[in-house]
Amino acid sequence: MRAVSKGTSVLKSGVKRLLGRAGFDIVRSTNNLGGVDDFIPFEATMRAARAAGLPVGDYIDEVMNGTPGATQSTIDELRALGVFAANPNTVLEIGPGSGRYLEKTLKECSPDRYEIYETAAPWANYLVDTFSVVAQPTAGSSLAPTPDGSIDLVQAHKVFNTVTFLGASRYFFEMARVTRPGGRIVFDVMTETCLDPAAVRTWATQGGAGHDSYPAAMPRRTCVDLFATLGCSLEASFLAPMGVASTEVLVFGKAA
């Protein structure tokens, strides 16, 4: 984490208290399906990031979530696993929000087409203007505009911890559908690996106050078994910071 002046530190602290989004890593419109009612606002976040002298992605990691370097560490893990080695030509991201994973993905590969499904219009417009990605129309439940087997890399970061079990499951079917044979699917969920008694206590007492639907747990075996029926096998997994605890990133490969 970069050194900051005392004044900047005070500013960060004040903004953090005002926004109060501890642990919320994604951006959603208020018309959400998961019951979470606390999200990262576009204008306020952009102003606060500029005032703090930080890129918006770093600001969210360092100040709003208190997990400096979290986005980059996930990208580093994915690079080490060879996710970007094939230089995916088409990428699709669900819920990119502020675009911090999107931006770092584009530094790892140079796809001809990068599709996003983002329900928060201000953030979607910002990403289109900034990164020339393609914003697909979305109702928050499917990837219908994307053809079958057309995407090399499908990813979602800090998304499925905030929607309902069925909402996430519906997306899983769609992710497998749009991925080409030989392609990769990357997403994180809060599995039992992340939920030892100490973590549950921390979430219950510190991380999810006032938000009974967040974080949403998902059985690991459910994910692995479901994707297996869809021709996708688990290649790797690792833990990544999220809020006061962690989330598990799963990497699937679709059979060629």
Side-chain angles (χ1 to χ4, degrees):
M1 183 174 179
R2 59 175 54 83
V4 294
S5 67
K6 181 178 180 181
T8 302
S9 296
V10 171
L11 173 62
K12 285 184 178 183
S13 178
V15 172
K16 187 175 183 180
R17 288 195 303 272
L18 286 172
L19 295 179
R21 304 297 196 259
F24 285 80
D25 282 10
I26 67 163
V27 179
R28 283 288 177 273
S29 69
T30 53
N31 181 26
N32 66 87
L33 301 177
V36 179
D37 57 5
D38 213 0
F39 304 96
I40 299 177
F42 176 75
E43 292 291 348
T45 304
M46 296 297 286
R47 287 196 303 268
R50 287 193 295 267
L54 293 169
V56 64
D58 290 347
Y59 177 80
I60 293 173
D61 273 352
E62 296 182 16
V63 181
M64 297 179 75
N65 292 330
T67 54
T71 300
Q72 187 60 56
S73 67
T74 294
I75 295 295
D76 290 345
E77 289 274 7
L78 295 176
R79 183 196 312 115
L81 291 170
V83 169
F84 307 114
N87 195 28
N89 193 50
T90 50
V91 178
L92 182 154
E93 185 171 352
I94 300 168
S98 66
R100 64 191 186 282
Y101 291 93
L102 185 159
E103 181 176 16
K104 293 184 183 300
T105 296
L106 290 176
K107 291 179 180 179
E108 299 291 334
C109 59
S110 301
D112 288 340
R113 182 179 178 85
Y114 199 122
E115 297 184 12
I116 64 169
Y117 283 79
E118 174 55 61
T119 60
W123 285 108
N125 293 336
Y126 162 75
L127 296 179
V128 170
D129 292 341
T130 304
F131 300 106
S132 299
V133 296
V134 177
Q136 295 283 28
T138 178
S141 60
S142 79
L143 308 175
T146 302
D148 295 359
S150 61
I151 304 296
D152 296 316
L153 171 62
V154 177
Q155 62 178 348
H157 300 279
K158 310 297 172 55
V159 172
F160 299 130
N161 319 102
T162 68
V163 299
T164 63
F165 172 83
L166 286 180
S169 299
R170 292 182 182 115
Y171 268 125
F172 293 163
F173 285 102
E174 285 287 88
M175 294 165 83
R177 176 185 66 80
V178 303
T179 302
R180 69 162 180 81
R184 292 273 189 40
I185 298 171
V186 175
F187 62 91
D188 67 283
V189 283
M190 182 168 285
T191 66
E192 58 272 29
T193 308
C194 314
L195 293 171
D196 59 69
V200 173
R201 179 178 294 277
T202 300
W203 277 115
T205 59
Q206 300 178 35
H211 301 283
D212 290 343
S213 61
Y214 172 85
M218 171 68 72
R220 190 178 196 273
R221 178 51 57 186
T222 295
C223 292
V224 174
D225 289 351
L226 176 61
F227 275 95
T229 69
L230 301 173
C232 304
S233 59
L234 182 67
E235 295 183 345
S237 67
F238 59 91
L239 295 183
M242 187 180 79
V244 297
S246 63
T247 182
E248 186 171 11
V249 181
L250 305 177
V251 180
F252 290 91
K254 187 171 181 178

Short mmCIF file of all heavy atoms in Angstrom, two decimals, residues 1 66 84 94 126 169 178 181 204 209 241:
data_model
loop_
_atom_site.label_atom_id
_atom_site.label_comp_id
_atom_site.label_asym_id
_atom_site.label_seq_id
_atom_site.Cartn_x
_atom_site.Cartn_y
_atom_site.Cartn_z
N MET A 1 0.84 -1.20 0.00
CA MET A 1 0.00 0.00 0.00
C MET A 1 0.87 1.24 0.00
O MET A 1 1.80 1.36 0.79
CB MET A 1 -0.90 0.00 1.24
CG MET A 1 -1.89 1.17 1.30
SD MET A 1 -3.02 0.97 2.70
CE MET A 1 -3.98 2.45 2.54
N GLY A 66 -10.66 -2.36 2.57
CA GLY A 66 -9.59 -2.63 3.52
C GLY A 66 -8.76 -3.84 3.16
O GLY A 66 -8.19 -4.50 4.04
N PHE A 84 -4.24 -16.81 -18.63
CA PHE A 84 -4.06 -15.84 -19.71
C PHE A 84 -3.05 -16.31 -20.77
O PHE A 84 -2.83 -15.62 -21.76
CB PHE A 84 -3.59 -14.50 -19.14
CG PHE A 84 -4.46 -13.98 -18.04
CD1 PHE A 84 -3.97 -13.87 -16.74
CD2 PHE A 84 -5.77 -13.60 -18.29
CE1 PHE A 84 -4.77 -13.39 -15.72
CE2 PHE A 84 -6.58 -13.12 -17.28
CZ PHE A 84 -6.09 -13.02 -15.98
N ILE A 94 -19.04 -10.94 -15.94
CA ILE A 94 -20.32 -10.66 -15.29
C ILE A 94 -20.06 -9.74 -14.10
O ILE A 94 -19.17 -10.00 -13.28
CB ILE A 94 -20.97 -11.95 -14.79
CG1 ILE A 94 -21.22 -12.91 -15.95
CG2 ILE A 94 -22.28 -11.66 -14.05
CD1 ILE A 94 -21.61 -14.30 -15.52
N TYR A 126 -19.32 4.00 -17.96
CA TYR A 126 -17.93 4.38 -17.67
C TYR A 126 -16.96 3.35 -18.27
O TYR A 126 -15.95 3.71 -18.87
CB TYR A 126 -17.75 4.48 -16.16
CG TYR A 126 -16.31 4.43 -15.69
CD1 TYR A 126 -15.47 5.53 -15.84
CD2 TYR A 126 -15.80 3.29 -15.07
CE1 TYR A 126 -14.15 5.49 -15.41
CE2 TYR A 126 -14.49 3.23 -14.63
CZ TYR A 126 -13.67 4.33 -14.80
OH TYR A 126 -12.36 4.28 -14.36
N SER A 169 -26.86 -19.92 -9.56
CA SER A 169 -26.97 -21.18 -10.31
C SER A 169 -27.41 -20.94 -11.74
O SER A 169 -26.91 -21.59 -12.68
CB SER A 169 -27.96 -22.12 -9.61
OG SER A 169 -27.52 -22.44 -8.30
N VAL A 178 -21.99 -20.35 -22.90
CA VAL A 178 -21.32 -19.40 -23.80
C VAL A 178 -19.82 -19.69 -23.96
O VAL A 178 -19.19 -19.16 -24.87
CB VAL A 178 -21.52 -17.95 -23.34
CG1 VAL A 178 -23.00 -17.62 -23.23
CG2 VAL A 178 -20.79 -17.66 -22.03
N PRO A 181 -15.49 -24.72 -26.39
CA PRO A 181 -14.71 -25.89 -25.99
C PRO A 181 -13.22 -25.52 -25.86
O PRO A 181 -12.67 -24.87 -26.74
CB PRO A 181 -14.95 -26.88 -27.13
CG PRO A 181 -16.29 -26.49 -27.67
CD PRO A 181 -16.33 -24.98 -27.57
N ALA A 204 -20.53 -12.79 11.18
CA ALA A 204 -21.77 -12.54 11.93
C ALA A 204 -21.67 -11.31 12.82
O ALA A 204 -22.67 -10.62 13.04
CB ALA A 204 -22.10 -13.77 12.78
N ALA A 209 -23.27 -6.94 9.19
CA ALA A 209 -24.31 -6.31 10.02
C ALA A 209 -25.37 -5.64 9.14
O ALA A 209 -25.06 -4.81 8.30
CB ALA A 209 -23.67 -5.29 10.94
N PRO A 241 -8.85 -12.60 -0.66
CA PRO A 241 -9.44 -11.78 0.38
C PRO A 241 -10.81 -11.24 -0.04
O PRO A 241 -11.02 -10.88 -1.20
CB PRO A 241 -8.44 -10.62 0.54
CG PRO A 241 -7.19 -11.09 -0.10
CD PRO A 241 -7.60 -12.03 -1.18
#
